[in-house]
Amino acid sequence: MPNSNLNNEHFTEDEMKIIAKAWDAISNVMRKKARNLSPEERKTYGSVSEENKLVVLKVLDYEGTHPHLKAPEVDYDELKADWADRNFLAGFVSQMIEMMNIANNIRITHDYDAYQNSRTDYNYTKYKMETTPGSGFETKYKDLLYFFKTKTSGVSNGDEPTEPPTE
């Protein structure tokens, strides 16, 4: 496979619209439930540790198997709803992280392809400027030259960019 074609799988307009529409739907639902916590509140409420998750599970187990031992001050329907939402969101976050990794990998391959093709175009421009003076390639070459200067000398070496493409 040529270096400039790591990924030839491109999104169609319909696919982009589907993704955007789905993301809008997810965002709208999530925003309705959102609570903005200050940094202090995030620190105070924190995250339930693995051990404390076991406490919640044990309390829920007792509520189901020994209902006569329930604390009257606890709204167990709310507790179950909180725990169900928490579990749903944990799974959702995991799926989002997986999709973020997939999206980043796709983007990285397209970045690489675009950059390699741009380097090829630059080299062609340089070649045409040298072999057909006055054909207009001089201006394009001068515009692109900035991106292909070396860090130390400031002189173009013709094929190495200042920095590799970043994420």
Side-chain angles (χ1 to χ4, degrees):
M1 173 177 11
N3 281 344
S4 62
N5 288 315
L6 290 179
N7 192 342
N8 286 335
E9 296 293 325
H10 300 284
F11 290 97
T12 65
E13 285 294 321
D14 285 344
E15 289 171 330
M16 287 187 237
K17 287 177 185 175
I18 289 168
I19 290 170
K21 188 175 180 179
W23 185 254
D24 286 345
I26 292 167
S27 296
N28 288 336
V29 171
M30 296 297 280
R31 283 190 180 98
K32 290 176 188 174
K33 311 273 186 222
R35 298 294 179 264
N36 289 323
L37 299 178
S38 69
E40 295 80 29
E41 289 171 322
R42 288 183 69 79
K43 206 180 253 188
T44 300
Y45 303 138
S47 176
V48 176
S49 69
E50 292 302 314
E51 188 172 322
N52 288 343
K53 289 176 195 172
L54 295 175
V55 171
V56 174
L57 289 171
K58 186 53 83 175
V59 168
L60 288 170
D61 181 50
Y62 265 97
E63 187 273 336
T65 59
H66 297 73
H68 64 284
L69 299 176
K70 295 193 309 189
E73 298 86 358
V74 174
D75 180 344
Y76 286 91
D77 290 335
E78 178 65 18
L79 171 61
K80 288 186 233 177
D82 284 339
W83 197 247
D85 284 355
R86 179 255 176 253
N87 286 326
F88 165 75
L89 290 168
F92 181 71
V93 167
S94 178
Q95 290 173 332
M96 282 181 48
I97 289 168
E98 181 183 0
M99 282 303 111
M100 184 180 76
N101 288 332
I102 289 170
N104 272 326
N105 288 342
I106 294 169
R107 181 189 50 80
I108 286 167
T109 59
H110 288 304
D111 282 350
Y112 183 83
D113 287 353
Y115 179 70
Q116 292 307 314
N117 282 309
S118 296
R119 284 183 60 164
T120 299
D121 182 78
Y122 169 76
N123 287 328
Y124 176 79
T125 299
K126 191 168 102 172
Y127 162 76
K128 290 300 281 183
M129 180 196 71
E130 292 169 351
T131 59
T132 55
S135 60
F137 283 96
E138 294 84 0
T139 302
K140 182 178 177 182
Y141 174 76
K142 287 177 186 173
D143 285 347
L144 292 173
L145 180 62
Y146 167 80
F147 300 104
F148 291 91
K149 291 184 177 182
T150 62
K151 288 181 185 179
T152 55
S153 69
V155 175
S156 173
N157 63 10
D159 64 359
E160 288 304 319
T162 303
E163 293 182 22
T166 58
E167 292 185 32

